[in-house]
Amino acid sequence: MMDNDLNLPSKEETEASVQIFKAFGNETRYKILYLLFEKQLTVNEITEAIGMTQSAVSHQLKILRQTGLVSSKRDGQHVYYTLADNHIITIFKQVEEHINED
């Protein structure tokens, strides 16, 4: 018999959380997020850094925007991508600490 004191998040919260973990679970998206952890970048800068086509990078950026992890802003002819908020930075720091634990 289950303890009635146990609570699960709502279906919507669960789905949103799973989508965020999926975004982090893809190697290409993780690399993009890591680059954006350092500074805001254009698609061309990201493409050059990770060695993928612009189309492939743009596709991954679309997923990251839809997940709410990345935001973009236009400056003239350039679109700059950045992490959506400081929560993403916190996640990266926590992962790094976890990996480097002895």
Side-chain angles (χ1 to χ4, degrees):
M1 184 170 169
M2 288 192 56
D3 185 352
N4 289 337
D5 292 338
L6 299 176
N7 293 309
L8 289 172
S10 70
K11 182 173 176 33
E12 293 78 18
E13 288 173 317
T14 300
E15 289 173 359
S17 296
V18 167
Q19 290 307 312
I20 289 172
F21 279 108
K22 280 183 181 179
F24 276 101
N26 175 280
E27 187 175 334
T28 300
R29 290 192 293 267
Y30 185 84
K31 287 178 182 178
I32 292 170
L33 289 168
Y34 193 87
L35 289 171
L36 296 177
F37 173 71
E38 299 293 324
K39 65 179 186 173
Q40 68 178 13
L41 297 167
T42 65
V43 174
N44 290 338
E45 291 170 322
I46 296 168
T47 298
E48 187 175 308
I50 64 175
M52 294 184 72
T53 65
Q54 184 174 338
S55 174
V57 169
S58 293
H59 175 72
Q60 298 302 332
L61 284 167
K62 178 182 177 187
I63 293 169
L64 292 170
R65 282 193 321 271
Q66 289 172 338
T67 311
L69 297 175
V70 168
S71 60
S72 62
K73 67 177 179 179
R74 181 172 290 281
D75 183 14
Q77 293 183 344
H78 299 284
V79 177
Y80 289 92
Y81 292 89
T82 186
L83 296 180
D85 59 39
N86 287 336
H87 293 112
I88 313 309
I89 294 169
T90 301
I91 292 168
F92 267 100
K93 288 181 180 177
Q94 291 293 315
V95 168
E96 189 174 61
E97 285 180 24
H98 179 73
I99 290 170
N100 292 320
E101 282 181 347
D102 289 330

